[in-house]
PDB file of all heavy atoms in Angstrom:
ATOM      1  N   TRP J   3     -60.408  -7.140   5.918  1.00 67.00           N
ATOM      2  CA  TRP J   3     -60.958  -6.822   7.233  1.00 67.00           C
ATOM      3  C   TRP J   3     -62.003  -7.862   7.638  1.00 67.00           C
ATOM      4  O   TRP J   3     -62.045  -8.283   8.786  1.00 67.00           O
ATOM      5  CB  TRP J   3     -61.561  -5.417   7.238  1.00 67.00           C
ATOM      6  CG  TRP J   3     -62.041  -5.022   8.584  1.00 67.00           C
ATOM      7  CD1 TRP J   3     -61.285  -4.541   9.605  1.00 67.00           C
ATOM      8  CD2 TRP J   3     -63.370  -5.100   9.079  1.00 67.00           C
ATOM      9  NE1 TRP J   3     -62.063  -4.301  10.708  1.00 67.00           N
ATOM     10  CE2 TRP J   3     -63.352  -4.645  10.402  1.00 67.00           C
ATOM     11  CE3 TRP J   3     -64.576  -5.512   8.525  1.00 67.00           C
ATOM     12  CZ2 TRP J   3     -64.498  -4.585  11.179  1.00 67.00           C
ATOM     13  CZ3 TRP J   3     -65.715  -5.453   9.304  1.00 67.00           C
ATOM     14  CH2 TRP J   3     -65.658  -4.989  10.616  1.00 67.00           C
ATOM     15  N   LEU J   4     -62.825  -8.306   6.707  1.00 66.00           N
ATOM     16  CA  LEU J   4     -63.825  -9.330   7.018  1.00 66.00           C
ATOM     17  C   LEU J   4     -63.169 -10.647   7.408  1.00 66.00           C
ATOM     18  O   LEU J   4     -63.735 -11.421   8.175  1.00 66.00           O
ATOM     19  CB  LEU J   4     -64.751  -9.561   5.817  1.00 66.00           C
ATOM     20  CG  LEU J   4     -65.703  -8.428   5.461  1.00 66.00           C
ATOM     21  CD1 LEU J   4     -66.473  -8.778   4.193  1.00 66.00           C
ATOM     22  CD2 LEU J   4     -66.654  -8.110   6.595  1.00 66.00           C
ATOM     23  N   TRP J  26     -72.727  -1.415   1.876  1.00 92.00           N
ATOM     24  CA  TRP J  26     -73.368  -0.141   1.567  1.00 92.00           C
ATOM     25  C   TRP J  26     -72.654   0.939   2.360  1.00 92.00           C
ATOM     26  O   TRP J  26     -72.653   0.914   3.584  1.00 92.00           O
ATOM     27  CB  TRP J  26     -74.832  -0.230   1.951  1.00 92.00           C
ATOM     28  CG  TRP J  26     -75.666   0.984   1.714  1.00 92.00           C
ATOM     29  CD1 TRP J  26     -75.485   1.951   0.765  1.00 92.00           C
ATOM     30  CD2 TRP J  26     -76.847   1.344   2.441  1.00 92.00           C
ATOM     31  NE1 TRP J  26     -76.487   2.886   0.849  1.00 92.00           N
ATOM     32  CE2 TRP J  26     -77.341   2.544   1.862  1.00 92.00           C
ATOM     33  CE3 TRP J  26     -77.533   0.788   3.501  1.00 92.00           C
ATOM     34  CZ2 TRP J  26     -78.476   3.182   2.331  1.00 92.00           C
ATOM     35  CZ3 TRP J  26     -78.676   1.417   3.966  1.00 92.00           C
ATOM     36  CH2 TRP J  26     -79.138   2.601   3.378  1.00 92.00           C
ATOM     37  N   THR J  27     -72.038   1.868   1.675  1.00 92.00           N
ATOM     38  CA  THR J  27     -71.372   2.992   2.323  1.00 92.00           C
ATOM     39  C   THR J  27     -72.349   4.162   2.332  1.00 92.00           C
ATOM     40  O   THR J  27     -72.794   4.616   1.264  1.00 92.00           O
ATOM     41  CB  THR J  27     -70.091   3.374   1.559  1.00 92.00           C
ATOM     42  OG1 THR J  27     -69.248   2.226   1.481  1.00 92.00           O
ATOM     43  CG2 THR J  27     -69.354   4.494   2.256  1.00 92.00           C
ATOM     44  N   ASP J  33     -73.770  13.061   9.978  1.00 92.00           N
ATOM     45  CA  ASP J  33     -72.661  13.852  10.507  1.00 92.00           C
ATOM     46  C   ASP J  33     -71.593  14.182   9.464  1.00 92.00           C
ATOM     47  O   ASP J  33     -70.573  14.772   9.772  1.00 92.00           O
ATOM     48  CB  ASP J  33     -72.013  13.139  11.697  1.00 92.00           C
ATOM     49  CG  ASP J  33     -71.282  11.859  11.310  1.00 92.00           C
ATOM     50  OD1 ASP J  33     -71.386  11.413  10.141  1.00 92.00           O
ATOM     51  OD2 ASP J  33     -70.620  11.283  12.193  1.00 92.00           O
ATOM     52  N   HIS J  35     -69.830  11.931   7.805  1.00 92.00           N
ATOM     53  CA  HIS J  35     -68.883  10.818   7.714  1.00 92.00           C
ATOM     54  C   HIS J  35     -69.651   9.542   7.384  1.00 92.00           C
ATOM     55  O   HIS J  35     -70.691   9.265   7.987  1.00 92.00           O
ATOM     56  CB  HIS J  35     -68.139  10.628   9.037  1.00 92.00           C
ATOM     57  CG  HIS J  35     -67.279  11.796   9.389  1.00 92.00           C
ATOM     58  ND1 HIS J  35     -67.759  12.908  10.029  1.00 92.00           N
ATOM     59  CD2 HIS J  35     -65.967  12.030   9.175  1.00 92.00           C
ATOM     60  CE1 HIS J  35     -66.797  13.776  10.209  1.00 92.00           C
ATOM     61  NE2 HIS J  35     -65.689  13.275   9.686  1.00 92.00           N
ATOM     62  N   SER J  36     -69.120   8.768   6.462  1.00 92.00           N
ATOM     63  CA  SER J  36     -69.800   7.547   6.047  1.00 92.00           C
ATOM     64  C   SER J  36     -69.604   6.407   7.037  1.00 92.00           C
ATOM     65  O   SER J  36     -68.511   6.219   7.581  1.00 92.00           O
ATOM     66  CB  SER J  36     -69.292   7.096   4.678  1.00 92.00           C
ATOM     67  OG  SER J  36     -69.683   8.019   3.690  1.00 92.00           O
ATOM     68  N   HIS J  44     -79.759 -14.422   3.705  1.00 90.00           N
ATOM     69  CA  HIS J  44     -79.778 -15.824   4.128  1.00 90.00           C
ATOM     70  C   HIS J  44     -81.215 -16.314   4.059  1.00 90.00           C
ATOM     71  O   HIS J  44     -82.109 -15.584   3.613  1.00 90.00           O
ATOM     72  CB  HIS J  44     -79.184 -15.975   5.538  1.00 90.00           C
ATOM     73  CG  HIS J  44     -79.689 -14.970   6.503  1.00 90.00           C
ATOM     74  ND1 HIS J  44     -80.903 -15.068   7.140  1.00 90.00           N
ATOM     75  CD2 HIS J  44     -79.152 -13.794   6.928  1.00 90.00           C
ATOM     76  CE1 HIS J  44     -81.086 -14.027   7.924  1.00 90.00           C
ATOM     77  NE2 HIS J  44     -80.034 -13.230   7.800  1.00 90.00           N
ATOM     78  N   TYR J  53     -71.439  -0.504  10.734  1.00 91.00           N
ATOM     79  CA  TYR J  53     -70.103  -0.322  11.299  1.00 91.00           C
ATOM     80  C   TYR J  53     -69.741   1.152  11.217  1.00 91.00           C
ATOM     81  O   TYR J  53     -70.115   1.848  10.279  1.00 91.00           O
ATOM     82  CB  TYR J  53     -69.056  -1.115  10.516  1.00 91.00           C
ATOM     83  CG  TYR J  53     -69.277  -2.600  10.545  1.00 91.00           C
ATOM     84  CD1 TYR J  53     -70.134  -3.209   9.644  1.00 91.00           C
ATOM     85  CD2 TYR J  53     -68.632  -3.393  11.484  1.00 91.00           C
ATOM     86  CE1 TYR J  53     -70.340  -4.586   9.662  1.00 91.00           C
ATOM     87  CE2 TYR J  53     -68.831  -4.768  11.507  1.00 91.00           C
ATOM     88  CZ  TYR J  53     -69.690  -5.355  10.602  1.00 91.00           C
ATOM     89  OH  TYR J  53     -69.896  -6.700  10.636  1.00 91.00           O
ATOM     90  N   GLU J  59     -59.940   2.115  13.671  1.00 83.00           N
ATOM     91  CA  GLU J  59     -60.460   0.899  13.035  1.00 83.00           C
ATOM     92  C   GLU J  59     -61.977   0.935  12.905  1.00 83.00           C
ATOM     93  O   GLU J  59     -62.646   1.773  13.484  1.00 83.00           O
ATOM     94  CB  GLU J  59     -60.051  -0.331  13.838  1.00 83.00           C
ATOM     95  CG  GLU J  59     -60.658  -0.371  15.237  1.00 83.00           C
ATOM     96  CD  GLU J  59     -60.200  -1.557  16.046  1.00 83.00           C
ATOM     97  OE1 GLU J  59     -59.695  -2.529  15.484  1.00 83.00           O
ATOM     98  OE2 GLU J  59     -60.362  -1.512  17.271  1.00 83.00           O
ATOM     99  N   TRP J  60     -62.497  -0.019  12.126  1.00 85.00           N
ATOM    100  CA  TRP J  60     -63.942  -0.184  11.995  1.00 85.00           C
ATOM    101  C   TRP J  60     -64.457  -0.980  13.183  1.00 85.00           C
ATOM    102  O   TRP J  60     -63.838  -1.951  13.599  1.00 85.00           O
ATOM    103  CB  TRP J  60     -64.277  -0.917  10.708  1.00 85.00           C
ATOM    104  CG  TRP J  60     -64.090  -0.065   9.500  1.00 85.00           C
ATOM    105  CD1 TRP J  60     -63.007  -0.063   8.674  1.00 85.00           C
ATOM    106  CD2 TRP J  60     -64.984   0.922   9.003  1.00 85.00           C
ATOM    107  NE1 TRP J  60     -63.183   0.873   7.682  1.00 85.00           N
ATOM    108  CE2 TRP J  60     -64.393   1.487   7.867  1.00 85.00           C
ATOM    109  CE3 TRP J  60     -66.232   1.385   9.409  1.00 85.00           C
ATOM    110  CZ2 TRP J  60     -65.004   2.486   7.129  1.00 85.00           C
ATOM    111  CZ3 TRP J  60     -66.851   2.383   8.676  1.00 85.00           C
ATOM    112  CH2 TRP J  60     -66.235   2.924   7.547  1.00 85.00           C
ATOM    113  N   GLY J  64     -74.119  -1.796  15.345  1.00 91.00           N
ATOM    114  CA  GLY J  64     -75.349  -2.493  15.693  1.00 91.00           C
ATOM    115  C   GLY J  64     -76.056  -2.955  14.434  1.00 91.00           C
ATOM    116  O   GLY J  64     -75.538  -2.842  13.326  1.00 91.00           O
ATOM    117  N   TYR J  65     -77.247  -3.487  14.627  1.00 93.00           N
ATOM    118  CA  TYR J  65     -78.032  -4.030  13.522  1.00 93.00           C
ATOM    119  C   TYR J  65     -79.153  -3.086  13.133  1.00 93.00           C
ATOM    120  O   TYR J  65     -79.737  -2.417  13.989  1.00 93.00           O
ATOM    121  CB  TYR J  65     -78.622  -5.385  13.909  1.00 93.00           C
ATOM    122  CG  TYR J  65     -77.580  -6.460  14.034  1.00 93.00           C
ATOM    123  CD1 TYR J  65     -76.991  -6.737  15.256  1.00 93.00           C
ATOM    124  CD2 TYR J  65     -77.179  -7.203  12.928  1.00 93.00           C
ATOM    125  CE1 TYR J  65     -76.022  -7.724  15.378  1.00 93.00           C
ATOM    126  CE2 TYR J  65     -76.210  -8.185  13.038  1.00 93.00           C
ATOM    127  CZ  TYR J  65     -75.635  -8.448  14.264  1.00 93.00           C
ATOM    128  OH  TYR J  65     -74.690  -9.416  14.374  1.00 93.00           O
ATOM    129  N   PRO J  70     -85.705  -4.294   4.130  1.00 93.00           N
ATOM    130  CA  PRO J  70     -86.195  -5.162   3.061  1.00 93.00           C
ATOM    131  C   PRO J  70     -85.833  -6.626   3.312  1.00 93.00           C
ATOM    132  O   PRO J  70     -84.833  -6.929   3.963  1.00 93.00           O
ATOM    133  CB  PRO J  70     -85.491  -4.619   1.817  1.00 93.00           C
ATOM    134  CG  PRO J  70     -85.227  -3.186   2.138  1.00 93.00           C
ATOM    135  CD  PRO J  70     -84.909  -3.180   3.614  1.00 93.00           C
ATOM    136  N   LEU J  73     -81.921  -9.109  -0.691  1.00 94.00           N
ATOM    137  CA  LEU J  73     -80.792  -8.264  -1.078  1.00 94.00           C
ATOM    138  C   LEU J  73     -81.148  -7.430  -2.303  1.00 94.00           C
ATOM    139  O   LEU J  73     -80.745  -6.268  -2.410  1.00 94.00           O
ATOM    140  CB  LEU J  73     -79.559  -9.132  -1.334  1.00 94.00           C
ATOM    141  CG  LEU J  73     -78.233  -8.423  -1.475  1.00 94.00           C
ATOM    142  CD1 LEU J  73     -77.927  -7.547  -0.269  1.00 94.00           C
ATOM    143  CD2 LEU J  73     -77.115  -9.436  -1.678  1.00 94.00           C
ATOM    144  N   ALA J  74     -81.942  -7.991  -3.215  1.00 94.00           N
ATOM    145  CA  ALA J  74     -82.367  -7.250  -4.403  1.00 94.00           C
ATOM    146  C   ALA J  74     -83.191  -6.016  -4.015  1.00 94.00           C
ATOM    147  O   ALA J  74     -83.029  -4.943  -4.598  1.00 94.00           O
ATOM    148  CB  ALA J  74     -83.172  -8.151  -5.337  1.00 94.00           C
ATOM    149  N   MET J  80     -81.245   1.252  -2.274  1.00 90.00           N
ATOM    150  CA  MET J  80     -79.982   1.975  -2.163  1.00 90.00           C
ATOM    151  C   MET J  80     -79.683   2.722  -3.451  1.00 90.00           C
ATOM    152  O   MET J  80     -79.259   3.882  -3.422  1.00 90.00           O
ATOM    153  CB  MET J  80     -78.842   1.005  -1.833  1.00 90.00           C
ATOM    154  CG  MET J  80     -78.940   0.423  -0.435  1.00 90.00           C
ATOM    155  SD  MET J  80     -77.601  -0.715   0.037  1.00 90.00           S
ATOM    156  CE  MET J  80     -77.378  -1.768  -1.352  1.00 90.00           C
ATOM    157  N   ALA J  82     -81.764   3.902  -5.546  1.00 89.00           N
ATOM    158  CA  ALA J  82     -82.692   5.029  -5.690  1.00 89.00           C
ATOM    159  C   ALA J  82     -82.256   6.228  -4.857  1.00 89.00           C
ATOM    160  O   ALA J  82     -82.747   7.337  -5.050  1.00 89.00           O
ATOM    161  CB  ALA J  82     -84.104   4.595  -5.289  1.00 89.00           C
ATOM    162  N   GLU J  83     -81.328   6.020  -3.933  1.00 83.00           N
ATOM    163  CA  GLU J  83     -80.785   7.081  -3.077  1.00 83.00           C
ATOM    164  C   GLU J  83     -81.882   7.895  -2.392  1.00 83.00           C
ATOM    165  O   GLU J  83     -81.853   9.120  -2.371  1.00 83.00           O
ATOM    166  CB  GLU J  83     -79.857   7.995  -3.878  1.00 83.00           C
ATOM    167  CG  GLU J  83     -78.645   7.272  -4.422  1.00 83.00           C
ATOM    168  CD  GLU J  83     -77.706   8.183  -5.186  1.00 83.00           C
ATOM    169  OE1 GLU J  83     -77.890   9.417  -5.150  1.00 83.00           O
ATOM    170  OE2 GLU J  83     -76.794   7.655  -5.821  1.00 83.00           O
ATOM    171  N   LYS J  90     -86.451  10.258  16.051  1.00 84.00           N
ATOM    172  CA  LYS J  90     -87.186   9.544  17.084  1.00 84.00           C
ATOM    173  C   LYS J  90     -88.135  10.521  17.775  1.00 84.00           C
ATOM    174  O   LYS J  90     -87.748  11.625  18.132  1.00 84.00           O
ATOM    175  CB  LYS J  90     -86.211   8.956  18.110  1.00 84.00           C
ATOM    176  CG  LYS J  90     -85.378   7.823  17.567  1.00 84.00           C
ATOM    177  CD  LYS J  90     -84.306   7.383  18.528  1.00 84.00           C
ATOM    178  CE  LYS J  90     -84.846   6.916  19.843  1.00 84.00           C
ATOM    179  NZ  LYS J  90     -83.836   6.315  20.710  1.00 84.00           N
ATOM    180  N   TRP J  92     -89.689   9.836  20.645  1.00 89.00           N
ATOM    181  CA  TRP J  92     -89.445   9.714  22.083  1.00 89.00           C
ATOM    182  C   TRP J  92     -87.973   9.397  22.307  1.00 89.00           C
ATOM    183  O   TRP J  92     -87.473   8.373  21.874  1.00 89.00           O
ATOM    184  CB  TRP J  92     -90.313   8.609  22.684  1.00 89.00           C
ATOM    185  CG  TRP J  92     -91.764   8.883  22.463  1.00 89.00           C
ATOM    186  CD1 TRP J  92     -92.582   8.282  21.539  1.00 89.00           C
ATOM    187  CD2 TRP J  92     -92.566   9.834  23.141  1.00 89.00           C
ATOM    188  NE1 TRP J  92     -93.831   8.813  21.609  1.00 89.00           N
ATOM    189  CE2 TRP J  92     -93.864   9.767  22.585  1.00 89.00           C
ATOM    190  CE3 TRP J  92     -92.311  10.754  24.155  1.00 89.00           C
ATOM    191  CZ2 TRP J  92     -94.903  10.561  23.023  1.00 89.00           C
ATOM    192  CZ3 TRP J  92     -93.364  11.544  24.593  1.00 89.00           C
ATOM    193  CH2 TRP J  92     -94.638  11.450  24.028  1.00 89.00           C
ATOM    194  N   LEU J  95     -84.185   7.783  27.804  1.00 93.00           N
ATOM    195  CA  LEU J  95     -84.152   8.500  29.071  1.00 93.00           C
ATOM    196  C   LEU J  95     -83.026   7.968  29.933  1.00 93.00           C
ATOM    197  O   LEU J  95     -82.720   6.784  29.898  1.00 93.00           O
ATOM    198  CB  LEU J  95     -85.488   8.331  29.809  1.00 93.00           C
ATOM    199  CG  LEU J  95     -86.740   8.706  29.024  1.00 93.00           C
ATOM    200  CD1 LEU J  95     -87.979   8.288  29.793  1.00 93.00           C
ATOM    201  CD2 LEU J  95     -86.752  10.191  28.746  1.00 93.00           C
ATOM    202  N   ALA J  99     -78.148   5.738  36.774  1.00 94.00           N
ATOM    203  CA  ALA J  99     -77.176   5.072  35.907  1.00 94.00           C
ATOM    204  C   ALA J  99     -77.850   4.196  34.849  1.00 94.00           C
ATOM    205  O   ALA J  99     -77.177   3.528  34.082  1.00 94.00           O
ATOM    206  CB  ALA J  99     -76.250   4.216  36.769  1.00 94.00           C
TER     207      ALA J  99
END
Side-chain angles (χ1 to χ4, degrees):
W3 184 81
L4 291 176
W26 180 28
T27 303
D33 68 352
H35 296 84
S36 293
H44 46 80
Y53 298 85
E59 64 183 342
W60 287 99
Y65 291 93
L73 192 56
M80 291 181 315
E83 297 181 10
K90 291 172 59 172
W92 301 103
L95 306 171

